[in-house]
Amino acid sequence: MADKNDLPSEDQFLCAICLDVFTDPVTIPCGHNFCKDCITEHWDRSDQYQCPVCKEAFTTRPDLRVNTFISEMVAQFRQSAPQKASSCSSEQHIFKPGEVLCDACSETKLKALKSCLVCLASYCETHLEPHLIMSGLKRHQLIDPVENLEDRMCPKHDKPLELFCKTDQTCVCMLCGVLDHKMHKLVPLKEEYEDKKAQLGKTEAETQQMIQKRQLKIQEIKQSVNLSKEDADREIAEGVQVFTALKESVERGEANLVNTIKEKQKTTEKQAEDFIKELEQEISELKKRSSEVEHVTHSEDHLHLLQRFMSLKVAPPTKDWTEVSIHSSHEGTVVRAVAQLEETFSKEIKKMLCEAELKRVQRYAVDVTLDPDSAHPNLILSDDGKQVSHGDVKKNLPDHPGRFSDSNCVLGKQSFSSGRFYFEVQVKGKTQLTLAVVRESINRKGDVTLSPQCGNWSIRLRDGKEYKAVDDPPVRLSLKSQPQKVGVFVDYEEGLISFYDVDAAALIYSFTGCSFTEKLFPYFNPGLNDGGKNSAPLIISPVRVN
C-alpha cells in the first residue's frame, strides 16, 4: 500500500478553470479533467463546446459523468494534506475598493495579480501559480488584472481580441482577421495601442493648452471685472461729488432766493413804516390846526378871530402823497434766481465734467522722454531727456536719418500704434511753442508743414498770448487764462487727440475723426530763444492725478 507521503502533488488535483482542488471531477473526451460545475458553466456561456486547456472542439456537448477514480484520489488528498488553494495565505493583501478580485478565492476575496484571457478569470498570487508552472496553462495569455474579461473575447469566435482592424477601426480576434477582415489592414493591438496612446498624448497636451487658455481667460475676465469695479467705484465717487456740489449749489441758490425776498420785504416794510410815521406826524399837525380853527370860530371875540385869521387860513406845510405808493411785488424774483442758478449750474457742470474727463485721461499716463537722434542741432536737451529749449549756437551733430534739419523740434522716443496714451508738458514762461502728435513719416529734412493732412495735429502759442489749433481751417482759441501745464491725450482707435489746461482742468482743443495708420510720436517745438524772452524750456512733467 502506498504511503500517504507518496501521494501526487497538489498541482495534479487542480481544476484548470477554478484553479482549486477538484469538486466532482469529470473527464471530457480529450482527457482533461475539470470540476463538473466549472466545465458546465464554461460551456453554458459559450457558443461552442471546446476544451479550455487544449482547445479541442466537440460537435456535440459531451455527457459529463464524475470520474470516480479521480474523485477518490482527491478525497485521499484532502484528508492527507491541507489545501493550499482553499486556504489563501494570510500574508496576501485583502481586496480594496477599485481593485480586481480573484475569481478563484472561495472565502475572503484577495487582490488579483493577473487576468487570463483564455480562462476569462482573474487570479491572486496563490491561484495564479498553476499558470506559472503547469505546461498547459503556461500557454495562456496573462495580462494585468481587469474586470469584465468577457468583453475582451470575440463574441463571434470566443477568441481573445488580439488584433486591430485599421480599415473598420475595431478590435478583432485572429479568426476574424482570417475570415471577416481578410483584405483589411490589421496590426497587433500593442502597435495600435502605442499609436493611439501617442495621439491621446497629443490630445492631452492640446487639452491642457486649452485649459490653460481658458484659465487665463478666466483671470482676464476676473481682472476686467475688478477693473470695472474700480471704474464703477471711481465713477460713483466722482458722481456723488458732482451731485453733492450741485445740491450745495441749489441750496445756496435757495438760500439766496429766500434772503433776497426777505431783504426786499424788509426794505418795503421799512419804507412803509417811514411813510406811516411821516403821515401820522402830518395828521397830528393837521389835528392841532383843526382844533385851533374850531376854537377861534366858536369865539365871540371879533378882534381875536380877525387877528388869527391869516395864520389859520393857510394849512400847515404837508407832503403831496398823491404819487406816493408801496411797491411790494416780488414777481420775477424766482425766475431770475432760477436763471442765475441755471447759469451757475452750467458753469459748475462744465467744470466738473472737465475735471472728471481730465482725471479719466490721466489714467493713461505714459513715461515720455526726448529722442536726441531726432533733435534739431539748435536745441538743448537735458540729460534726463525731459527738458528742451532753443540755443543760439548750432551744434555739430551727426546727420541722423531721423534728425530734423530745418524745424527747431524734437520727437519723443516712445511711439504708439494702438490704445490710449497721455502726457503733460510744463509751458510756464513761454512766449512761443508748438506741441503736437505726429505720424512717423513726418518730413525730417525740410520745413515741417503743420496740418492734419500732413500728419501732425498741433496747438501753437505766439506772442505769449495767442493760442491757435492748427486744424483745417486753423482755430483761434479763446482761453480764460494762459495754461501753465498742457496735457496731451490720444485715443488711437477712436481717432481723437485732445489738449488740456491741466491746472484749470479745462479742455483747450480736440481733433476728432482722425485716421491713424502709422506709429504716432509726441512732438515738441520750444520756439526761438528770442533774445532770452523765450528761454524757458518745455518740461515733460510727471502726471499727478488730483
Side-chain angles (χ1 to χ4, degrees):
M1 185 174 179
D3 194 325
K4 289 182 180 182
N5 294 332
D6 295 333
L7 287 171
S9 66
E10 180 183 357
D11 295 342
Q12 295 175 279
F13 300 105
L14 295 182
C15 172
I17 296 177
C18 69
L19 301 181
D20 208 343
V21 177
F22 289 124
T23 299
D24 295 332
V26 295
T27 304
I28 62 176
C30 63
H32 290 106
N33 302 302
F34 303 95
C35 298
K36 184 177 181 181
D37 290 342
C38 290
I39 190 65
T40 299
E41 290 178 6
H42 179 73
W43 283 342
D44 285 345
R45 64 172 183 259
S46 177
D47 294 335
Q48 54 183 339
Y49 310 120
Q50 188 181 51
C51 174
V53 177
C54 66
K55 304 302 180 182
E56 182 178 345
F58 312 110
T59 55
T60 58
R61 184 165 182 162
D63 292 332
L64 299 178
R65 296 181 180 180
V66 176
N67 188 319
T68 55
F69 174 75
I70 295 178
S71 180
E72 290 175 0
M73 293 290 290
V74 169
Q76 293 180 22
F77 176 78
R78 290 181 185 277
Q79 293 175 0
S80 63
Q83 296 184 48
K84 182 179 179 182
S86 62
S87 58
C88 296
S89 172
S90 60
E91 296 178 359
Q92 297 186 49
H93 299 293
I94 302 299
F95 170 75
K96 297 178 181 179
E99 296 176 339
V100 179
L101 294 81
C102 174
D103 294 320
C105 289
S106 57
E107 296 180 359
T108 303
K109 293 289 186 180
L110 301 182
K111 174 184 175 182
L113 294 183
K114 292 290 181 180
S115 295
C116 178
L117 294 179
V118 177
C119 302
L120 297 182
S122 299
Y123 303 110
C124 64
E125 182 179 359
T126 300
H127 292 111
L128 181 64
E129 188 172 349
H131 277 81
L132 304 178
I133 60 176
M134 296 178 65
S135 58
L137 297 179
K138 281 184 179 181
R139 293 191 296 271
H140 290 193
Q141 184 178 354
L142 300 176
I143 61 171
D144 290 334
V146 293
E147 295 180 340
N148 303 323
L149 281 167
E150 293 82 358
D151 296 340
R152 295 175 175 270
M153 300 298 291
C154 175
K156 185 175 183 180
H157 304 109
D158 199 26
K159 298 284 185 182
L161 298 172
E162 301 178 82
L163 300 175
F164 184 81
C165 176
K166 284 184 169 289
T167 306
D168 294 339
Q169 290 292 301
T170 185
C171 297
V172 299
C173 68
M174 289 290 187
L175 201 53
C176 287
V178 174
L179 300 177
D180 303 328
H181 299 260
K182 186 175 181 180
M183 304 303 294
H184 294 181
K185 185 177 180 180
L186 302 172
V187 296
L189 283 182
K190 184 176 182 181
E191 180 180 330
E192 188 64 19
Y193 160 83
E194 296 294 340
D195 181 54
K196 290 293 192 288
K197 183 179 180 182
Q199 292 182 31
L200 288 177
K202 184 178 179 181
T203 301
E204 172 64 10
E206 292 173 351
T207 302
Q208 289 299 325
Q209 191 175 22
M210 292 172 66
I211 291 172
Q212 291 176 4
K213 286 183 178 179
R214 279 149 182 78
Q215 288 174 338
L216 290 174
K217 180 57 69 175
I218 289 174
Q219 294 177 3
E220 179 185 329
I221 292 173
K222 288 182 177 179
Q223 181 66 15
S224 297
V225 171
N226 291 334
L227 291 175
S228 177
K229 186 178 184 304
E230 291 176 4
D231 285 344
D233 292 341
R234 184 164 45 246
E235 290 297 321
I236 289 173
E238 292 176 358
V240 169
Q241 183 180 358
V242 168
F243 279 95
T244 299
L246 293 177
K247 286 191 289 185
E248 290 174 354
S249 183
V250 170
E251 290 170 357
R252 285 195 301 271
E254 179 186 7
N256 289 336
L257 172 64
V258 171
N259 289 335
T260 298
I261 294 175
K262 285 184 175 180
E263 287 296 324
K264 188 174 181 180
Q265 180 62 22
K266 186 177 179 181
T267 301
T268 300
E269 291 175 357
K270 178 67 169 60
Q271 186 183 33
E273 184 181 342
D274 291 343
F275 284 162
I276 291 171
K277 187 176 180 181
E278 190 175 352
L279 285 166
E280 287 177 344
Q281 181 67 32
E282 288 188 358
I283 290 171
S284 178
E285 292 293 330
L286 290 171
K287 283 183 177 181
K288 182 178 178 182
R289 175 61 60 86
S290 175
S291 178
E292 289 180 356
V293 170
E294 184 181 4
H295 176 70
V296 170
T297 56
H298 286 85
S299 172
E300 295 296 333
D301 187 345
H302 301 161
L303 178 63
H304 179 67
L305 184 148
L306 294 173
Q307 289 177 335
R308 296 293 309 276
F309 176 78
M310 292 306 295
S311 61
L312 294 177
K313 180 182 179 181
V314 180
T318 57
K319 184 176 180 178
D320 183 5
W321 294 94
T322 305
E323 302 298 329
V324 175
S325 64
I326 297 297
H327 299 284
S328 59
S329 173
H330 298 284
E331 184 178 352
T333 305
V334 174
V335 174
R336 289 190 296 272
V338 171
Q340 185 177 359
L341 180 63
E342 183 179 3
E343 183 180 354
T344 303
F345 260 22
S346 179
K347 292 179 180 178
E348 289 289 330
I349 290 173
K350 186 176 181 181
K351 181 180 178 181
M352 291 174 183
L353 290 177
C354 285
E355 289 176 351
E357 175 65 13
L358 182 58
K359 287 181 181 179
R360 183 187 71 83
V361 301
Q362 284 178 328
R363 296 202 294 267
Y364 300 101
V366 295
D367 184 20
V368 174
T369 54
L370 302 172
D371 180 12
D373 290 335
S374 68
H376 185 275
N378 275 8
L379 297 184
I380 302 171
L381 275 60
S382 62
D383 293 338
D384 62 358
K386 295 293 185 179
Q387 301 185 28
V388 58
S389 58
H390 183 266
D392 294 325
V393 179
K394 187 174 183 178
K395 297 187 293 293
N396 185 18
L397 298 175
D399 186 18
H400 192 279
R403 190 180 306 284
F404 290 93
S405 61
D406 292 355
S407 296
N408 294 298
C409 53
V410 60
L411 300 182
K413 278 186 179 180
Q414 293 73 23
S415 64
F416 305 90
S417 55
S418 64
R420 305 177 180 93
F421 65 93
Y422 173 87
F423 61 94
E424 293 179 352
V425 184
Q426 181 178 308
V427 298
K428 184 178 180 180
K430 300 297 293 179
T431 60
Q432 299 181 42
L433 65 88
T434 301
L435 292 177
V437 174
V438 302
R439 63 190 181 197
E440 186 176 25
S441 60
I442 186 174
N443 182 27
R444 314 286 181 102
K445 303 304 179 183
D447 288 334
V448 175
T449 302
L450 297 178
S451 75
Q453 288 75 18
C454 295
N456 55 76
W457 298 264
S458 61
I459 61 170
R460 302 179 70 183
L461 170 65
R462 290 294 179 265
D463 302 324
K465 56 182 179 180
E466 181 181 291
Y467 268 94
K468 182 183 293 183
V470 189
D471 206 338
D472 185 20
V475 179
R476 182 174 295 178
L477 304 174
S478 299
L479 306 180
K480 291 185 177 180
S481 60
Q482 287 292 95
Q484 302 296 299
K485 188 181 292 184
V486 175
V488 183
F489 172 71
V490 177
D491 187 328
Y492 196 98
E493 283 73 23
E494 190 68 22
L496 171 69
I497 299 177
S498 297
F499 296 86
Y500 295 88
D501 181 340
V502 176
D503 296 325
L507 177 67
I508 297 175
Y509 191 77
S510 284
F511 293 88
T512 58
C514 307
S515 178
F516 305 133
T517 57
E518 301 179 24
K519 291 180 180 178
L520 299 180
F521 288 82
Y523 172 101
F524 309 87
N525 185 331
L528 299 177
N529 186 40
D530 194 18
K533 295 179 182 179
N534 190 41
S535 60
L538 291 176
I539 303 174
I540 301 173
S541 306
V543 176
R544 294 184 177 89
V545 182
N546 296 326

